[in-house]
Amino acid sequence: MVFPADFENSQMSRSSTRQKAASFLSDGVMFLGGGLVALLLVWSLGSFTNPNPSTTPNFSTTSATASDDAATSRNTITDDNLLHDPPDPTFYDDLELTYTLEKPIKNWNGKRKRWLQLHPSLATGRGGGGRVLLVSGSQPSMCQNPIGDHLLLRFFKNKVDYCRIHGCDIFYNNVLLHPKMFAYWAKYPVVRAAMIAHPEAEWIWWVDSDAAFTDMDFKLPLERYKNHNLVIHGWAHLIFQNKSWVGLNAGVFLIRNCQWSMDLMDRWAGMGPQSPEYEKWGNIQRSIFKDKLFPEADDQTGLAYLILKEREKWAEKIYIESEYYLEGYWAEIVGNLDDIKNQYMEIEKRVRSLRRRRAEKMSESYTTMMEPHLKGSGNGGLGSWRRPFVTHFAGCEPCTGNHNELYSGESCWKGMEKALNFADNQVLRNFGYTRPDLLNSSSVAPLLFDSPAG
């Protein structure tokens, strides 16, 4: 893991960008006066499934991927062979293996490695770093907020667009897989089941339903995480020094499909409401993380506890990412989106090759040409005019409408509309259209030949 000293010395010394990333959220800004961020996160933690939505190759725990190993048998296979499923027995034929969290899985690395050897066309990553399966989800019933279902549909479309452009698979769940694991705990049975259902995926990428990709060109720097098994957005010093439950955010994370991750989730989910020790874990969390405002054990504080108190077992393989917005707080972002759009348009006005029409499949070529012109733009965080990667509407509760009292529902809904249109414009440009006004979702205009899109 990136510890306070390691984070600042081994990671931040690599680039000035990392130095900016460490400084863009000081303790004061992070806490927004202390209670503000903590309070908004109390609202945000309930944003996922609720039953009553009233609201080389070393397969231990290391960086080498099973897909790299299995790929050695690939030879001349160049495309996914979805008809090739040999009759040889695999873990799918094991009566003892279950998709649920109740029973731990043992030797998952070996089981997955064997399956990949039998399916060599699925054993290599797309674009390096291993295949990625994006997983998200929402409640099983209709939203109480009259515009909630529409908003969730737009958030889902945003994720589908990003996955189509970057070659990720996607699974969206809207059923409670464990009757007692509700609210923010509901994601863990889904992630566990996704690991089993998709052994070809090296990474499972959980993204909350109320989080939107706002830089459709940005690609996960998977090479950076080759020695890690969990990537989470946060600030190490806020966990270790401040002992703050908002030192990280569990709304977006990358977890490697390996035995280490299976073990971590068993331990992590063991603090949840299905456990007879649920109440005890709530008391433990509040006794350590003094800024935690509510008594129930939650997953975010649970992970902070494991990093802080079981450091030797878990922390080495956890990467706390703060160089870019793996998830960014929406209230810091949406007010800057018009300015960011204008900055990109100014670059395109100066560089004709960036205005050239291109197929959507060639989007990465645009990204490569744009990057030199973004020097000095920052990292997508505070004070930056680079597009933020992910904008997370923590505390807005689009489905229930029970938003944080610190801001109005209108600010949430307009912020969502602006962020989703900002992202959708980046998609529409390859289809020949644009939205001139980010707060007018219905109005689009043809993108004239040789015109900047921003």
Side-chain angles (χ1 to χ4, degrees):
M1 187 194 117
V2 184
F3 299 131
D6 298 333
F7 182 74
E8 294 175 5
N9 297 330
S10 67
Q11 296 294 331
M12 291 176 63
S13 62
R14 295 181 186 178
S15 69
S16 59
T17 303
R18 178 59 59 91
Q19 292 169 347
K20 294 176 183 175
S23 63
F24 80 80
L25 271 174
S26 63
D27 288 354
V29 176
M30 175 60 200
F31 288 118
L32 297 179
L36 186 146
V37 169
L39 185 57
L40 72 92
L41 283 170
V42 171
W43 264 268
S44 71
L45 284 172
S47 64
F48 182 62
T49 309
N50 190 314
N52 298 304
S54 53
T55 50
T56 325
N58 178 347
F59 249 85
S60 55
T61 61
T62 63
S63 59
T65 66
S67 23
D68 289 339
D69 184 62
T72 59
S73 62
R74 184 171 172 146
N75 296 327
T76 58
I77 299 176
T78 56
D79 298 312
D80 293 354
N81 187 348
L82 304 182
L83 299 178
H84 177 71
D85 194 13
D88 309 56
T90 69
F91 63 86
Y92 287 117
D93 303 294
D94 182 358
L95 182 63
E96 299 299 315
L97 186 143
T98 67
Y99 290 80
T100 64
L101 283 167
E102 282 80 7
K103 188 173 183 179
I105 292 180
K106 301 300 182 183
N107 191 30
W108 177 241
N109 295 333
K111 290 177 169 67
R112 180 171 169 250
K113 178 179 178 180
R114 173 60 177 161
W115 188 91
L116 288 169
Q117 288 173 335
L118 292 171
H119 300 82
S121 72
L122 297 172
T124 58
R126 296 171 179 170
R131 294 174 186 247
V132 176
L133 173 68
L134 189 148
V135 180
S136 187
S138 56
Q139 78 301 318
S141 55
M142 292 178 62
C143 290
Q144 289 188 343
N145 182 3
I147 61 172
D149 290 306
H150 171 71
L151 290 170
L152 289 183
L153 176 61
R154 291 209 60 192
F155 276 108
F156 176 58
K157 176 194 179 300
N158 170 267
K159 294 174 177 66
V160 170
D161 284 337
Y162 183 87
C163 288
R164 182 185 67 253
I165 291 168
H166 293 280
C168 304
D169 290 324
I170 185 169
F171 171 64
Y172 193 94
N173 177 63
N174 64 345
V175 64
L176 197 63
L177 297 187
H178 192 295
K180 292 184 178 180
M181 298 190 77
F182 49 83
Y184 34 85
W185 289 105
K187 63 173 77 84
Y188 299 101
V190 183
V191 171
R192 156 79 173 246
M195 287 181 170
I196 300 171
H198 284 269
E200 82 287 354
E202 185 64 22
W203 294 98
I204 305 299
W205 186 7
W206 174 266
V207 182
D208 272 1
S209 60
D210 59 352
F213 293 100
T214 40
D215 187 348
M216 304 301 284
D217 296 325
F218 188 87
K219 294 178 65 175
L220 287 168
L222 295 179
E223 180 64 21
R224 179 185 300 175
Y225 311 133
K226 64 182 180 181
N227 295 320
H228 299 86
N229 295 332
L230 177 68
V231 183
I232 195 92
H233 191 249
W235 302 269
H237 67 286
L238 293 181
I239 300 172
F240 287 100
Q241 297 165 12
N242 296 38
K243 294 183 175 58
S244 171
W245 79 293
V246 293
L248 57 84
N249 188 291
V252 179
F253 60 82
L254 272 169
I255 189 165
R256 191 183 294 277
N257 196 351
C258 67
Q259 184 65 52
W260 181 95
S261 300
M262 291 286 189
D263 295 341
L264 174 70
M265 283 198 297
D266 287 340
R267 177 64 171 146
W268 193 359
M271 303 179 192
Q274 86 290 353
S275 168
E277 298 184 326
Y278 179 52
E279 184 177 349
K280 182 194 81 170
W281 276 115
N283 293 330
I284 292 173
Q285 289 180 5
R286 289 198 76 185
S287 70
I288 296 171
F289 300 92
K290 303 297 185 182
D291 60 341
K292 179 175 162 63
L293 300 177
F294 53 98
E296 296 83 11
D298 69 277
D299 63 327
Q300 182 165 296
T301 314
L303 180 58
Y305 173 89
L306 294 177
I307 293 172
L308 181 65
K309 294 298 185 179
E310 299 182 14
R311 177 172 178 167
E312 292 184 1
K313 185 172 184 180
W314 307 112
E316 181 184 359
K317 294 298 176 183
I318 298 176
Y319 193 106
I320 298 182
E321 179 63 82
S322 66
E323 182 174 339
Y324 63 93
Y325 268 160
L326 183 61
E327 69 83 38
Y329 174 41
W330 68 275
E332 297 171 351
I333 292 173
V334 294
N336 299 321
L337 292 180
D338 285 311
D339 289 339
I340 293 172
K341 176 185 175 183
N342 291 336
Q343 292 277 6
Y344 277 70
M345 289 190 72
E346 288 301 317
I347 294 173
E348 291 185 8
K349 287 177 182 178
R350 298 194 304 266
V351 184
R352 184 175 183 181
S353 59
L354 293 172
R355 305 194 300 269
R356 185 189 178 202
R357 294 173 177 172
R358 56 183 52 83
E360 186 179 63
K361 286 290 187 183
M362 303 307 297
S363 295
E364 193 169 343
S365 66
Y366 170 88
T367 307
T368 303
M369 287 189 291
M370 173 62 82
E371 190 59 34
H373 303 281
L374 296 176
K375 292 186 183 301
S377 64
N379 50 34
L382 285 174
S384 169
W385 55 267
R386 180 186 287 265
R387 293 168 182 157
F389 183 34
V390 175
T391 301
H392 189 193
F393 285 84
C396 276
E397 299 291 339
C399 190
T400 66
N402 298 327
H403 56 83
N404 190 300
E405 293 179 350
L406 294 172
Y407 33 76
S408 68
E410 185 178 10
S411 65
C412 281
W413 320 143
K414 285 189 174 181
M416 291 177 185
E417 183 177 27
K418 176 174 276 193
L420 289 165
N421 288 341
F422 178 84
D424 202 36
N425 267 359
Q426 298 167 48
V427 176
L428 286 174
R429 67 171 296 151
N430 289 318
F431 292 80
Y433 290 86
T434 187
R435 284 188 180 89
D437 182 355
L438 295 182
L439 285 176
N440 188 342
S441 299
S442 301
S443 177
V444 297
L447 189 60
L448 300 179
F449 184 80
D450 200 34
S451 295

